[in-house]
Amino acid sequence: MSIVNGSNADMKEQIVVYEKHEYPLVRKAVIADVVPIHEILNTFAAKGRLLPRSLSELYEHLRAYFVLEMAPGERVQGVCGLGICWKDLAEIESLAVAEAFQGKGLGRKLMDACLLEAAALGIDKVFTLTYVPGFFVKRGFYEVDKSCLPHKIWADCLKCPKFPDCDETALMLQL
């Protein structure tokens, strides 16, 4: 593993890059991952811990997702997406790790891959809407009012079955 250096050094030095030969492996999702991603996300959605994603939505936004592979050729056990909302704003979305693999820092690896990609794209701010704010606060996210996320609210939140009574916590990270 290596540490990223460069501009925004304080932030980037905290983002660990996992090399392809190291397992568990965080990599970009491919078509074969869509069904396992769908199953992982909908397992958590059934428990009220994430919003569900349809297969068509996952295929359409496949390039936004990173997956967690525990060993070569094995079924993926985690997922995290980076949704671009605006020129300076992105969202960490659909972060989930199969329960058997939780508590091992694997969610952090997935999130770091998304944060590294956001920084590489020149995005200044990353937010998330979550039921697990403590996980993100440990990483440097801070709570914000949902009203500071107008693009998100009008783009995705209007389609949410919980709108306008959202019970997720909005958090932001400045890169």
Side-chain angles (χ1 to χ4, degrees):
M1 92 180 68
S2 59
I3 302 293
V4 175
N5 295 310
S7 62
N8 297 328
D10 290 339
M11 178 62 198
K12 289 185 180 180
E13 285 179 9
Q14 296 175 22
I15 300 173
V16 179
V17 179
Y18 296 89
E19 307 297 338
K20 284 193 170 196
H21 62 279
E22 292 183 21
Y23 283 87
L25 171 67
V26 172
R27 62 170 173 76
K28 290 297 278 185
V30 297
I31 290 292
D33 298 324
V34 171
V35 170
I37 289 169
H38 185 254
E39 291 170 1
I40 291 167
L41 295 179
N42 285 335
T43 295
F44 286 97
K47 297 174 184 178
R49 294 169 58 193
L50 280 177
L51 295 177
R53 301 279 183 197
S54 67
L55 280 172
S56 64
E57 185 178 5
L58 293 172
Y59 282 116
E60 184 178 346
H61 299 283
L62 179 64
R63 290 180 278 185
Y65 290 97
F66 287 89
V67 295
L68 175 68
E69 188 175 63
M70 299 306 292
E74 285 190 3
R75 183 182 188 278
V76 299
Q77 298 295 331
V79 61
C80 188
L82 180 71
I84 309 301
C85 300
W86 202 244
K87 68 180 181 178
D88 62 347
L89 184 65
E91 178 185 15
I92 297 287
E93 56 189 25
S94 301
L95 173 56
V97 174
E99 289 183 354
F101 297 99
Q102 291 183 4
K104 302 174 195 277
L106 301 173
R108 164 102 186 225
K109 289 182 182 185
L110 285 160
M111 181 177 59
D112 281 351
C114 289
L115 293 175
L116 181 60
E117 184 171 66
L121 291 169
I123 294 171
D124 298 316
K125 296 178 286 192
V126 178
F127 78 96
T128 191
L129 292 169
T130 183
Y131 293 112
V132 190
F135 174 84
F136 293 94
V137 169
K138 286 181 198 173
R139 183 64 184 87
F141 283 75
Y142 54 92
E143 191 167 343
V144 295
D145 190 276
K146 291 180 191 89
S147 66
C148 77
L149 307 171
H151 301 289
K152 172 64 179 175
I153 288 171
W154 295 114
D156 290 339
C157 293
L158 286 173
K159 298 181 280 186
C160 177
K162 295 184 178 189
F163 186 80
D165 300 315
C166 180
D167 56 351
E168 292 181 300
T169 301
L171 300 166
M172 183 78 68
L173 178 69
Q174 186 77 37
L175 297 180

